[in-house]
């Protein structure tokens, strides 16, 4: 009997048939007796992908009349990486010295524990006592305070530590990081001569030009702004003590404006400015920035390790785990207990890893431990689809594997989604974007009935509404044209183009809202993602209804409900009633009053159900243009309320929720 290859690397682009390759390869191995279906370990990125892979593999086995093997698939290790780690911990709970069914922390509990650990740590004080000196200022875009920005930075560092497996305090970590910072900065000079030299240059310039020149020499807005800024920096540098730690000031002095085509300054002004620029340019030789960077690093690393220590202790005492623990603890168990690794290796015939480009170092460590134990490993991924860097995935792991094992790499070069004429354009674009790293794809999809590419070029930017109206009129013409056909994605049959076959992509939701408005004005129904489920129209309405039921004296909630689609008053009428009687008379308010009578005796879930029933919300929204989406949002709210009622009390308390009313 032939053996499985120890390692298979399948670089596979979008539409190249990677899932089909996985399912047919595994089915072939089962059919050949090389593996048993219940001994397959397949790690995917999402639960949906895991379910799809299991179902497609089952279908393949049923098609081959391997019914018994198809049933055994239910026992296979086909799951997300976190689910795989949790199953290892469950099956070897005794060896891991933990409960076989540990409770999973929710986000509120995790956040609360981490915040408590950060509050207890004293190692962040060095930076917290002078956040501005370390570059933390109020952010007017995100509305974050300096304290919040610094805390978020530490939390991000903690997440990175956990992603690379730094769960225990490492006494060598900070010294190594400090050594790296010193190496990056290189040799420095004595601080005092550098500061004195810059201060002399500044004072010489201010002695000759004691007033700012923006009104005299600011020939345009940019010049005025620069000259005003430069003078402010020079005046701030007049105080020599400000040069001892304000590195932003040094950087500003390095960028003093001098004469150019749009702004002619006095010749000696340029000479003085160049002397200041040259002196400020020695900032990289000043020991201050390096010392400050080391102080910042030491503070953050120390605080992060304190938090991790506190967080780990809290979890152990309560018998809890989080998603990272599922992978980290399983990895630790296999690496520190050879008997467990050997036992698990006996239970697994092959390991399949999908979307490998989105694996982070900790996940890689767990999976590669199994590979090193001798389990044949089948890896599928695409470096060009690496999109999970914000979750600390590292595509360099896959790039390095491909570099080290070129003989095991067998790229998929077909495309089963895109018709031939469009694939030609994509191949040209791909070659221009990625050069020799791009694998040319051969189209294998059935021919389409639409032109694959139509470009509408607008000469001027701006006027989003005008562009949207033009594009939407074109879409309407296509929909109304009975000679426009598509291939149905479910049946594969030829049929007339419908609105549901069209997707509009754009950079922002505001941009897409203009298109949604234009389509609706033309009588074309469309769906658009809301800013957030919680902010969707139906949820906004029912939030106000629940506020009124909880407190019938809430005049804002009553006014809102009476003037919505469900009410029968205009805003003017509602305000007049409130001013005259202090309350509102409306059919929707009457219905909510009946619900409110016994609201205190019901749970939040029961009150929600009563409100939906009394206002006939499902019937009302059935006539809305986005009825399906509104119904889905309302169903989700009911599900959220049900989960809330059945949630662990400790979990609720961590989020600040007490009781069920």
């Amino acid at each position: 009997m032939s053996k499985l290859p120890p390692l298979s690397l399948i670089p596979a682009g979008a539409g190249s048939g990677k899932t089909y390759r996985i399912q047919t390869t595994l089915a072939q191995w089962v059919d050949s007796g090389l593996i048993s279906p219940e001994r397959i370990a397949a790690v995917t990125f999402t639960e949906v992908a895991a379910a799809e892979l299991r179902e497609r593999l089952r279908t393949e086995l049923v098609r081959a009349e391997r019914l018994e093997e198809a049933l055994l698939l239910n026992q296979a290790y086909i799951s997300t990486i976190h689910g795989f780690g949790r199953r290892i911990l469950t099956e070897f709970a005794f060896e891991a010295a933990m409960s076989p069914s540990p409770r999973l922390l929710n986000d509120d509990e995790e956040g609360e524990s981490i915040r408590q650990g950060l509050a207890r740590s004293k190692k962040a004080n060095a930076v917290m006592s002078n956040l501005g000196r370390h570059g933390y200022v109020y952010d007017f875009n995100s509305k974050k305070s300096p304290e919040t920005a610094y805390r978020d930075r530490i939390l991000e560092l903690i997440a990175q530590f956990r992603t690379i497996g730094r769960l225990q305090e490492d006494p060598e970590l900070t010294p190594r990081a400090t050594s790296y910072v010193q190496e990056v900065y290189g040799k420095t000079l004595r601080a005092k001569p550098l500061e004195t030299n810059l201060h002399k240059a500044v004072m010489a310039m201010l002695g000759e030009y004691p007033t700012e020149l923006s009104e005299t020499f600011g020939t345009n807005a940019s010049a005025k702004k620069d000259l005003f800024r430069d003078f402010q920096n020079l005046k701030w540098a007049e105080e020599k003590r400000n040069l001892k730690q304000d590195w932003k000031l040094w950087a500003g002095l390095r960028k003093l404006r001098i004469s150019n085509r749009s702004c002619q300054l006095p010749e000696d002004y340029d000479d003085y400015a160049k002397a200041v620029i040259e002196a400020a340019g020695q900032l990289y030789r000043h020991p201050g920035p390096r010392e400050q960077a080391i102080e910042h690093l030491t503070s953050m690393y120390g605080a992060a390790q304190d938090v991790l220590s506190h967080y780990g202790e809290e979890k152990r005492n309560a018998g809890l785990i989080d998603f990272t623990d599922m992978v980290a603890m399983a990895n630790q168990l296999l690496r520190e207990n050879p008997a467990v690794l050997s036992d698990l290796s006996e239970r697994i015939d092959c390991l399949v890893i999908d979307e490998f480009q989105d694996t982070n170092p900790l996940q890689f460590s767990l999976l590669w431990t199994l590979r090193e134990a001798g389990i044949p490993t089948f890896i599928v991924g695409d470096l060009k689809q690496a999109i999970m860097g914000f979750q600390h995935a590292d595509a360099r792991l896959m790039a390095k594997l491909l570099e080290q094992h070129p003989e095991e790499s067998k790229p998929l070069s077909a495309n089963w989604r895109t018709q031939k004429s469009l694939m030609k354009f994509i191949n040209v674009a791909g070659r221009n974007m990625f050069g020799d790293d791009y694998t040319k794809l051969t189209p294998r999809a059935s021919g389409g009935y639409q032109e694959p590419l139509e470009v509408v070029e607008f000469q001027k930017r701006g006027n989003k509404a005008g562009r949207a109206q033009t594009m939407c009129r074109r879409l309407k013409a296509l929909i109304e044209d009975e000679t426009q056909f598509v291939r149905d994605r479910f049946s594969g049959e030829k049929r007339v183009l419908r609105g549901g076959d069209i997707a509009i992509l754009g950079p922002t939701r505001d941009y897409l809202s203009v298109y949604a408005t234009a389509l609706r004005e033309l009588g074309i129904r469309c769906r658009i993602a809301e800013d957030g489920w919680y902010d969707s129209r139906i949820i906004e309405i029912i939030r106000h209804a629940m506020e009124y039921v909880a407190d019938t004296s809430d005049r804002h909630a009553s006014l809102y409900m009476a003037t919505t689609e469900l009410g029968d008053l205009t805003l003017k009428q509602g305000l007049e009633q409130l001013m005259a009687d202090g309350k509102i008379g409306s059919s929707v308010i009457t219905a909510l009053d009946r619900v409110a009578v016994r609201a205190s005796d019901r749970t939040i879930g029961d009150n929600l159900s009563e409100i939906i029933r009394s206002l006939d919300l499902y019937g009302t929204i059935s006539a809305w243009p986005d009825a399906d989406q509104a119904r889905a949002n309302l169903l989700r709210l009911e599900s959220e309320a049900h989960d809330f009622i059945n949630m662990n009390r400790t979990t609720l308390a961590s989020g600040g929720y007490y009781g069920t009313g």
Side-chain angles (χ1 to χ4, degrees):
M1 180 184 295
S2 61
K3 293 183 178 181
L4 297 180
L7 178 64
S8 301
L9 296 172
I10 313 294
S16 59
K18 65 183 181 65
T19 305
Y20 180 76
R21 169 62 69 88
I22 293 173
Q23 78 182 56
T24 53
T25 299
L26 292 178
Q28 181 183 353
W29 287 350
V30 170
D31 190 57
S32 303
L34 295 174
I35 62 174
S36 298
E38 75 277 14
R39 295 162 64 89
I40 295 172
V43 175
T44 63
F45 199 73
T46 66
E47 294 286 0
V48 173
E52 179 187 2
L53 177 59
R54 188 187 298 271
E55 192 56 39
R56 290 177 68 163
L57 183 54
R58 181 182 286 113
T59 300
E60 195 76 24
L61 292 173
V62 169
R63 186 182 295 121
E65 299 184 354
R66 306 295 295 259
L67 301 184
E68 185 175 343
E69 286 86 348
L71 291 173
L72 288 173
L73 269 179
N74 290 328
Q75 303 173 35
Y77 296 80
I78 303 178
S79 67
T80 64
I81 182 65
H82 297 100
F84 182 58
R86 187 168 190 171
R87 181 164 173 180
I88 292 173
L89 294 175
T90 299
E91 292 187 359
F92 298 96
F94 179 80
E95 290 83 351
M98 61 182 295
S99 167
S101 54
R103 185 169 72 79
L104 180 66
L105 276 83
N106 73 344
D107 291 340
D108 286 329
E109 288 175 302
E110 181 177 347
E112 178 67 18
S113 180
I114 288 176
R115 282 192 294 271
Q116 287 180 3
L118 188 55
R120 293 180 182 182
S121 175
K122 304 299 182 185
K123 294 178 182 176
N125 291 349
V127 174
M128 288 291 287
S129 60
N130 194 343
L131 289 167
R133 177 170 176 258
H134 290 273
Y136 293 99
V137 295
Y138 184 81
D139 188 327
F140 289 93
N141 293 320
S142 65
K143 305 296 189 292
K144 286 184 178 181
S145 68
E147 293 79 8
T148 300
Y150 181 53
R151 186 200 66 187
D152 289 350
R153 192 83 176 270
I154 293 178
L155 295 180
E156 174 67 15
L157 180 61
I158 290 170
Q160 290 183 344
F161 275 174
R162 304 193 74 209
T163 300
I164 61 175
R166 294 284 186 183
L167 303 181
Q168 306 297 329
E169 184 170 351
D170 182 352
E172 296 299 319
L173 187 60
T174 300
R176 283 202 300 269
T178 299
S179 176
Y180 175 75
V181 171
Q182 291 173 331
E183 181 182 335
V184 169
Y185 275 85
K187 292 182 178 180
T188 60
L189 303 176
R190 290 172 53 233
K192 190 172 181 179
L194 295 174
E195 294 164 7
T196 300
N197 190 34
L198 177 56
H199 187 255
K200 284 181 178 179
V202 167
M203 295 306 295
M205 188 169 185
L206 286 174
E208 191 66 27
Y209 292 95
T211 59
E212 59 113 349
L213 307 180
S214 62
E215 293 302 323
T216 306
F217 294 93
T219 53
N220 55 54
S222 175
K224 282 187 176 183
K225 180 180 178 182
D226 289 350
L227 290 170
F228 178 79
R229 178 205 62 205
D230 290 349
F231 185 73
Q232 297 302 312
N233 283 335
L234 289 166
K235 291 298 288 182
W236 186 245
E238 193 173 14
E239 285 286 341
K240 193 173 182 180
R241 62 184 179 184
N242 293 331
L243 296 175
K244 292 183 179 297
Q245 61 179 23
D246 191 341
W247 316 127
K248 186 177 180 181
L249 173 59
W250 281 66
L253 294 173
R254 292 170 63 185
K255 298 177 182 178
L256 293 183
R257 183 161 190 140
I258 56 177
S259 295
N260 57 26
R261 290 181 181 178
S262 63
C263 177
Q264 287 297 320
L265 294 162
E267 185 175 343
D268 61 340
Y269 180 93
D270 285 348
D271 292 337
Y272 285 114
K274 289 176 182 177
V276 172
I277 292 170
E278 183 180 355
Q282 294 298 307
L283 175 61
Y284 74 101
R285 293 292 191 187
H286 197 294
R290 185 187 67 182
E291 292 167 2
Q292 187 173 308
I294 291 173
E295 179 185 54
H296 188 208
L297 179 150
T298 303
S299 174
M300 289 185 62
Y301 275 36
Q305 290 186 325
D306 279 356
V307 171
L308 283 173
S309 178
H310 167 81
Y311 182 48
E313 183 180 352
E314 289 278 306
K315 287 185 297 180
R316 285 191 296 272
N317 292 341
L320 304 173
I321 62 172
D322 61 21
F323 278 106
T324 303
D325 290 331
M326 294 179 186
V327 180
M329 296 173 72
N331 182 47
Q332 184 178 7
L333 176 64
L334 296 184
R335 287 192 171 274
E336 295 181 358
N337 196 323
V340 171
L341 178 59
S342 176
D343 193 350
L344 182 62
S345 300
E346 292 296 321
R347 303 182 190 187
I348 298 175
D349 285 342
C350 69
L351 172 64
V352 178
I353 310 170
D354 194 12
E355 304 291 3
F356 186 76
Q357 75 279 356
D358 289 326
T359 302
N360 68 37
L362 180 60
Q363 295 165 356
F364 175 82
S365 180
L366 170 61
L367 298 170
W368 206 246
T369 298
L370 298 174
R371 161 74 181 83
E372 290 176 331
I375 298 176
T377 302
F378 189 87
I379 293 175
V380 182
D382 181 18
L383 291 172
K384 300 173 190 62
Q385 296 185 69
I387 60 172
M388 304 307 291
F390 66 95
Q391 290 188 351
H392 311 295
D394 194 340
R396 291 175 299 178
L397 294 168
M398 181 171 183
K400 199 66 176 177
L401 271 186
L402 292 172
E403 178 187 323
Q404 293 178 347
H405 303 277
E407 65 282 358
E408 277 84 24
S409 176
K410 298 176 177 61
L412 298 183
S413 58
N415 182 285
W416 299 90
R417 293 182 188 169
T418 307
Q419 63 193 72
K420 184 176 181 180
S421 48
L422 182 56
M423 199 66 244
K424 181 179 180 181
F425 166 79
I426 292 173
N427 279 330
V428 172
R431 175 67 66 177
N432 287 331
M433 291 173 64
F434 301 106
D436 293 339
D437 291 334
Y438 179 76
T439 300
K440 182 179 179 181
L441 301 177
T442 304
R444 301 293 187 192
S446 302
Y449 301 103
Q450 290 286 320
E451 285 298 323
L453 189 64
E454 180 177 332
V455 177
V456 179
E457 183 178 359
F458 294 92
Q459 296 301 319
K460 294 182 179 180
R461 299 190 66 179
N463 191 16
K464 288 187 290 186
R467 291 205 305 271
Q469 290 165 3
T470 300
M471 296 301 298
C472 292
R473 284 195 294 269
R474 173 61 179 148
L475 294 178
K476 183 179 182 182
L478 288 172
I479 294 171
E480 293 177 346
D481 185 350
E482 295 183 356
T483 65
Q484 297 292 332
F485 298 99
V486 296
R487 188 180 302 279
D488 191 283
R489 64 193 181 103
F490 297 109
S491 67
E493 300 296 323
K494 178 181 179 181
R495 62 165 174 78
V496 175
L497 175 70
R498 302 171 187 161
D501 300 320
I502 298 171
I504 299 178
L505 307 180
T508 64
R509 184 186 178 279
D510 289 341
Y511 189 92
L512 292 173
S513 295
V514 178
Y515 276 81
T517 300
L519 287 171
R520 288 164 181 162
E521 288 175 350
L522 293 172
I524 302 174
R525 294 177 60 184
C526 65
R527 295 183 187 177
I528 181 172
E530 300 288 349
D531 284 334
W533 160 78
Y534 185 73
D535 296 318
S536 65
R537 181 62 178 152
I538 185 59
I539 303 303
E540 192 175 58
I541 287 174
I542 204 164
R543 272 177 19 221
H544 285 83
M546 295 175 75
E547 287 168 2
Y548 179 79
V549 167
D551 179 9
T552 54
S553 66
D554 188 332
R555 298 198 297 172
H556 176 265
S558 63
L559 178 64
Y560 185 93
M561 291 304 300
T563 56
T564 62
E565 299 92 323
L566 281 66
D568 46 23
L569 300 179
T570 65
L571 180 59
K572 181 180 178 181
Q573 291 170 334
L575 289 170
E576 288 174 344
Q577 287 190 18
L578 279 178
M579 293 175 66
D581 305 322
K583 60 182 181 179
I584 289 179
S586 171
S587 58
V588 68
I589 298 302
T590 301
L592 292 175
D593 282 335
R594 288 195 291 268
V595 177
V597 172
R598 295 184 55 197
S600 60
D601 298 328
R602 304 189 195 97
T603 65
I604 191 171
D606 291 338
N607 273 319
L608 175 61
S609 298
E610 282 296 310
I611 291 171
I612 293 173
R613 183 192 60 77
S614 65
L615 300 181
D616 186 26
L617 286 183
Y618 281 112
T620 300
I621 63 178
S622 64
W624 288 10
D626 57 345
D628 291 344
Q629 184 63 59
R631 183 174 182 274
N633 289 341
L634 197 51
L635 286 169
R636 177 178 170 183
L637 179 62
E638 289 197 273
S639 175
E640 294 277 356
H642 175 77
D643 291 344
F644 177 82
I645 295 302
N646 293 286
M647 195 174 288
N648 181 279
R649 297 293 98 191
T650 304
T651 301
L652 285 174
S654 294
Y657 302 102
Y658 305 94
T660 57

